[in-house]
Amino acid sequence: MTASPRQITARFRVRFDSVDALVLTYTQDISQGRLFVRTTSTLETGDLVHVLFDLEDGEPPEPAVARVTGTFGPASGHEPGVSTELVTLPPGLTDRITRHLARQLDGTASGEAAESARILLVEDSSSQRAHVARTLENLGHVVHTAGDGLQGLGAIMREVPDLVLCDVQMPVMTGWQLLRVVRSKPSIAHVPIVFLTDLASEQDRLEGYRLGVDDYLSKPFAEEELRLRIDRVLRRTRVRSPDPTTFGKLRGDLSLVSLPSVLAFLHAERRTGLLLIASDARLAALHIREGNVRRVDLSGEPPAVDHTPRLFGLLDWTRGWFELTPDDIDGADAIAMTTPELLLEHARLSDESSRG
């Protein structure tokens, strides 16, 4: 006698605490056909449950059906909930998650211009200060100015701006010094700072990203580039929490700093965490432990047997944003080589390809 299939006994709406939590849950669980749901509901192994994935992106939640494979109560030492296997998964969920994450990471949720902002311009050249201020005002922003970093710091402390545009090489207090002071003060640490600079060294730019600069604008620059950079930073900062603890992340632009340089930097500092890379609608997650890449997940791609070729493909990306979130990285290593070994092998293969 065949047992009748169980009916759907519960309905869960699944949300995620952060973009990072969504990436980790998707790459480690959802894409593998499983999901853990926190709940105190009484369910049994084999029960079917209705799951709604709410990405909070303005679109209706995506429905799925899952089968309970295990239950956990307070006495288990595990947080209360159920482990499930996904019986159905909407075919468009992967693409939607990718679009949502790329928008969140890249800060370009729409093509509309950002709202008017209060911008502090810190520039020691009076002629350059007047020119940039006039350009910003023409773009609809309210502009205040300062002639050096110390004056700029005082202006920030008197009235916190929406954005600081800051020269790097200045008398009295440089842009580097201003950045360090601002990021060290919880009350103003959240203020986005964009460097106006002619810095050409990737190492200098990485150091700026490490200290918490939000973006660079290379001199000389066109009005359209100024507008785009400001709009992107303002959108990105208006959707994130002004919690100063979130500014320990390493974040930057791949058009200014190459991914091989980022990985070399992370290896030198023995960083551990999840490195997210958004390029157009593509999203990658690099699991890094003590400076070495241990696993690579790529949106829209099935789990890989050999993660090394997948990483080599990412090393050729030249546009997009990267962001490292410190986190414990669990699971087996899918890449045995160290970061320096990977970078040397990628350089060798690239050289062979260019000659072939």
Side-chain angles (χ1 to χ4, degrees):
M1 181 177 179
T2 304
S4 60
R6 291 182 180 271
Q7 301 297 311
I8 292 178
T9 56
R11 189 170 184 263
F12 298 109
R13 194 181 191 98
V14 178
R15 296 186 178 93
F16 301 90
D17 296 333
S18 65
V19 173
D20 302 330
L22 174 54
V23 170
L24 286 171
T25 303
Y26 175 75
T27 58
Q28 294 179 355
D29 294 317
I30 297 174
S31 64
Q32 309 297 315
R34 56 178 181 255
L35 180 68
F36 178 81
V37 180
R38 291 192 294 268
T39 180
T40 56
S41 300
T42 302
L43 296 170
E44 297 181 5
T45 299
D47 282 355
L48 295 179
V49 296
H50 186 203
V51 181
L52 293 173
F53 291 97
D54 190 349
L55 303 187
E56 298 185 351
D57 58 356
E59 299 181 36
E62 293 280 358
V65 175
R67 180 181 293 109
V68 175
T69 58
T71 61
F72 302 90
S76 67
H78 193 285
E79 60 180 324
V82 294
S83 58
T84 70
E85 62 176 356
L86 295 167
V87 179
T88 66
L89 192 63
L93 181 61
T94 298
D95 289 339
R96 182 169 160 190
I97 289 175
T98 301
R99 291 194 305 272
H100 175 61
L101 291 172
R103 286 196 299 267
Q104 290 288 315
L105 191 59
D106 194 39
T108 52
S110 72
E112 299 177 359
E115 298 175 5
S116 174
R118 291 174 292 109
I119 297 178
L120 173 64
L121 172 62
V122 187
E123 167 66 65
D124 64 306
S125 168
S126 57
S127 59
Q128 182 77 353
R129 190 166 64 244
H131 169 69
V132 177
R134 186 166 54 251
T135 302
L136 293 170
E137 289 169 347
N138 290 338
L139 293 172
H141 300 297
V142 176
V143 184
H144 299 279
T145 63
D148 60 56
L150 187 57
Q151 292 180 15
L153 178 61
I156 295 171
M157 297 176 70
R158 285 192 300 272
E159 182 178 2
V160 180
D162 296 316
L163 175 73
V164 174
L165 283 176
C166 182
D167 191 14
V168 176
Q169 302 301 330
M170 295 182 293
V172 184
M173 178 184 281
T174 67
W176 293 109
Q177 293 168 326
L178 175 62
L179 175 64
R180 289 188 181 97
V181 173
V182 170
R183 293 294 179 249
S184 70
K185 293 184 175 296
S187 61
I188 56 175
H190 64 281
V191 177
I193 297 178
V194 176
F195 273 168
L196 305 176
T197 179
D198 53 7
L199 291 175
S201 165
E202 285 195 338
Q203 199 61 35
D204 285 339
R205 289 172 176 168
L206 271 170
E207 177 65 11
Y209 287 138
R210 185 183 72 82
L211 293 173
V213 74
D214 288 85
D215 206 350
Y216 288 93
L217 189 60
S218 299
K219 296 179 179 180
F221 48 82
E223 178 178 329
E224 180 63 13
E225 184 181 8
L226 176 66
R227 183 188 68 80
L228 290 173
R229 292 280 178 177
I230 289 176
D231 285 357
R232 181 166 63 182
V233 172
L234 289 173
R235 286 196 194 98
R236 197 163 63 231
T237 55
R238 280 168 175 165
V239 299
R240 73 185 181 190
S241 168
D243 179 356
T245 63
T246 66
F247 293 89
K249 297 180 178 181
L250 178 71
R251 179 191 177 90
D253 189 337
L254 287 179
S255 67
L256 298 175
V257 180
S258 68
L259 183 55
S261 294
V262 174
L263 294 181
F265 178 83
L266 297 179
H267 182 265
E269 295 210 338
R270 300 181 65 82
R271 295 285 192 98
T272 294
L274 186 71
L275 181 66
L276 302 180
I277 306 171
S279 180
D280 298 323
R282 300 173 297 175
L283 187 89
L286 277 61
H287 302 251
I288 298 176
R289 186 184 298 119
E290 294 187 352
N292 293 308
V293 183
R294 305 289 69 172
R295 191 165 68 256
V296 180
D297 296 310
L298 188 61
S299 62
E301 297 290 335
V305 175
D306 186 354
H307 288 230
T308 303
R310 177 173 286 183
L311 176 62
F312 286 168
L314 296 180
L315 291 175
D316 294 326
W317 287 12
T318 58
R319 55 179 294 177
W321 278 86
F322 65 87
E323 179 176 292
L324 178 77
T325 301
D327 200 355
D328 293 332
I329 299 300
D330 300 321
D333 294 346
I335 298 178
M337 301 169 68
T338 66
T339 290
E341 290 170 339
L342 287 166
L343 296 179
L344 283 173
E345 180 64 11
H346 176 258
R348 184 187 69 80
L349 295 173
S350 298
D351 183 60
E352 288 183 356
S353 176
S354 64
R355 290 184 298 173

